[in-house]
Amino acid sequence: MSTSPEHILIAGAGIGGLTAAVALQRRGIACTIIEATPRPTAINASILLQNNTMRVLSELDIARCLAPKGRRIAHTSIMSVTGKVLTEVKAEDVEGTVGAPALGIHRADLHEALLSRLQDGTLIAGDPVIGFETTAGGVAVYLRSGERLQGRGLVAADGIDSRIRARLHGDRPAVRSGTTCLRGVTETPAERPDEVLEWWGYRLQFGIIPLPDGRSSWFALIPTPTRPVQDPGDRLGFYQRLYREFPVQVRDLMAATEPKNTIEVELRHRPWRGGSGAVTLLGDAAHPMLPNLGQGAGQAIEDAAVLARRLDKAASVADAFRAYEQERRARVRWIQRQAIRMNQIASVPPGPLSTARDAVLRGLPARVERTSVMRMFDGAHT
């Protein structure tokens, strides 16, 4: 196993790392991805590719192959448990300005589309990065097998528990949000096949993302249990009891889901961090965020586009990495804060706070809502 010392090394073949490799190779920049698992795979869950994300994927010539595998989203609504609309986003208010639609898609389909765009020999799988050091020519990376790879720079795209981030900034634990999410995929079609629907209850949030071919995906957020339920069937039953007061379509969708097609994760986040010298961070390694705005993967994809553009123009890798970090810092931090705030607003307890929340959201002027939405969707370009 060997790579050219002129390559950019990317640790991690998740959505961010794969998109970075595609973006770099489109600009003629050689790169190698180093993935810990023998075969890069995605979790069995959907992803909502927001308008800003689809615009970047379109500019990278990936969006056109995703469209047949996804479901275009025409409308997004957040409602109370009683069905009152608290806030909504219509496609016609966004697509014309941003220049791309939103798309609901299974994560595996996005993953495969990105993998298919890689040049032969790009991926080294099943041999994780365990260490690195800077060198006169850039950086040396050490793999578990004992292999040493030399490259011009190292992009850490190895997730929220990134070893490279820990080496640069200390091995501090991620911030626990106090919220846990169960995701499910079912063969039952969504009642509204082109709409993302979300309901806010009392410390509970439930959302539906439609998928093609008669499938649906959903997510359910609850306060993190003190004693997690390990058995998938018992765990799904636990969530169903919590959501027994939610609308019938929520209950029916959960009932139609096989326990093996669910996955639970405690939601965590970390503050944004950059790199040093010929090392930088990307996606969840740099800025893991709560999923309440549907922007986690989207911001990793934006990272990848900006990183490739900066590397294409800078005099040195270190200069490119610092310029990339400078360009991304403010936007990512703002979205991280907004996602935390959204989770807090959605998770208020029953009583005066939830009543006031619902009244304020329903009373927001359309101009105010649009300004906030467009700031989020006015993202990076390639």
Side-chain angles (χ1 to χ4, degrees), residues 7 26 144 151 168-169 201-202 239 258-259 274 276 358 366:
H7 280 216
R26 278 178 60 83
R144 185 172 59 190
L168 291 172
H169 300 292
Y202 304 130
Y239 276 78
E258 294 187 36
S276 175
D358 292 357

Side-chain angles (χ1 to χ4, degrees), residues 330-346:
R331 173 167 169 77
V332 166
R333 282 177 168 170
W334 180 79
I335 291 177
Q336 284 185 299
R337 291 194 301 270
Q338 295 304 307
I340 292 170
R341 186 172 294 121
M342 181 72 85
N343 187 58
Q344 292 168 340
I345 292 171

Side-chain angles (χ1 to χ4, degrees), residues 28-361:
I29 301 172
C31 62
T32 298
I33 303 175
I34 307 157
E35 165 60 23
T37 62
R39 169 66 180 169
T41 56
I43 63 172
N44 182 23
S46 69
I47 184 170
L48 177 58
L49 298 174
Q50 301 275 24
N51 305 75
N52 56 301
T53 308
M54 285 297 290
R55 179 175 62 189
V56 173
L57 292 172
S58 179
E59 292 169 351
L60 293 174
D61 197 31
I62 298 169
R64 61 186 177 87
C65 68
L66 296 178
K69 300 178 180 180
R71 177 72 72 174
R72 178 184 173 274
I73 304 303
H75 197 115
T76 299
S77 299
I78 297 177
M79 297 169 285
S80 68
V81 175
T82 60
K84 292 180 179 178
V85 176
L86 304 180
T87 184
E88 59 185 340
V89 177
K90 299 177 182 178
E92 59 262 31
D93 295 336
V94 178
E95 288 186 9
T97 302
V98 178
L103 194 75
I105 192 170
H106 197 285
R107 284 177 175 265
D109 290 328
L110 173 59
H111 218 78
E112 287 303 316
L114 292 168
L115 280 168
S116 71
R117 293 303 182 95
L118 297 180
Q119 297 172 4
D120 291 344
T122 299
L123 181 65
I124 296 172
D127 201 1
V129 174
I130 61 170
F132 68 93
E133 63 180 358
T134 57
T135 66
V139 64
V141 167
Y142 298 91
L143 309 186
R144 185 172 59 190
S145 64
E147 190 82 16
R148 179 183 185 271
L149 304 180
Q150 180 74 36
R152 290 197 297 142
L154 172 62
V155 179
D158 51 343
I160 187 171
D161 295 312
S162 166
R163 288 189 177 190
I164 297 166
R165 177 184 173 123
R167 165 80 178 275
L168 291 172
H169 300 292
D171 194 16
R172 301 178 184 86
V175 179
R176 300 176 65 185
S177 69
T179 301
T180 291
C181 178
L182 185 71
R183 295 184 176 99
V185 175
T186 175
E187 298 299 320
T188 302
E191 187 174 298
R192 303 183 193 177
D194 62 349
E195 296 187 33
V196 171
L197 302 175
E198 189 169 341
W199 290 266
W200 288 0
Y202 304 130
R203 291 183 170 167
L204 301 175
Q205 306 164 56
F206 191 95
I208 299 173
I209 300 176
L211 296 172
D213 304 323
R215 295 175 298 158
S216 299
S217 64
W218 54 265
F219 56 89
L221 275 63
I222 66 171
T224 298
T226 54
R227 299 182 65 183
V229 181
Q230 300 299 329
D231 178 78
D234 293 342
R235 185 171 59 210
L236 180 56
F238 171 68
Y239 276 78
Q240 288 176 285
R241 290 190 293 274
L242 290 176
Y243 283 88
R244 62 184 178 274
E245 301 298 329
F246 273 60
V248 64
Q249 65 190 108
V250 169
R251 291 177 274 129
D252 286 350
L253 208 57
M254 296 179 84
T257 305
E258 294 187 36
K260 67 179 182 179
N261 290 329
T262 63
I263 183 169
E264 186 182 49
V265 61
E266 182 182 0
L267 303 182
R268 302 176 296 152
H269 58 94
R270 295 182 187 270
W272 181 93
R273 289 290 184 269
S276 175
V279 181
T280 193
L281 311 179
L282 183 147
D284 280 352
H287 48 72
M289 59 185 65
L290 300 185
N292 299 75
L293 294 178
Q295 284 287 334
Q299 291 309 299
I301 289 169
E302 286 190 13
D303 284 352
V306 173
L307 178 70
R309 171 162 47 80
R310 291 295 186 175
L311 273 168
D312 197 23
K313 296 179 178 180
S316 71
V317 168
D319 288 346
F321 284 177
R322 300 297 84 75
Y324 147 74
E325 292 163 4
Q326 178 65 28
E327 182 173 342
R328 295 295 294 151
R329 183 184 298 114
R331 173 167 169 77
V332 166
R333 282 177 168 170
W334 180 79
I335 291 177
Q336 284 185 299
R337 291 194 301 270
Q338 295 304 307
I340 292 170
R341 186 172 294 121
M342 181 72 85
N343 187 58
Q344 292 168 340
I345 292 171
S347 304
V348 296
L353 279 177
S354 61
T355 301
R357 174 200 67 191
D358 292 357
V360 168
L361 288 174

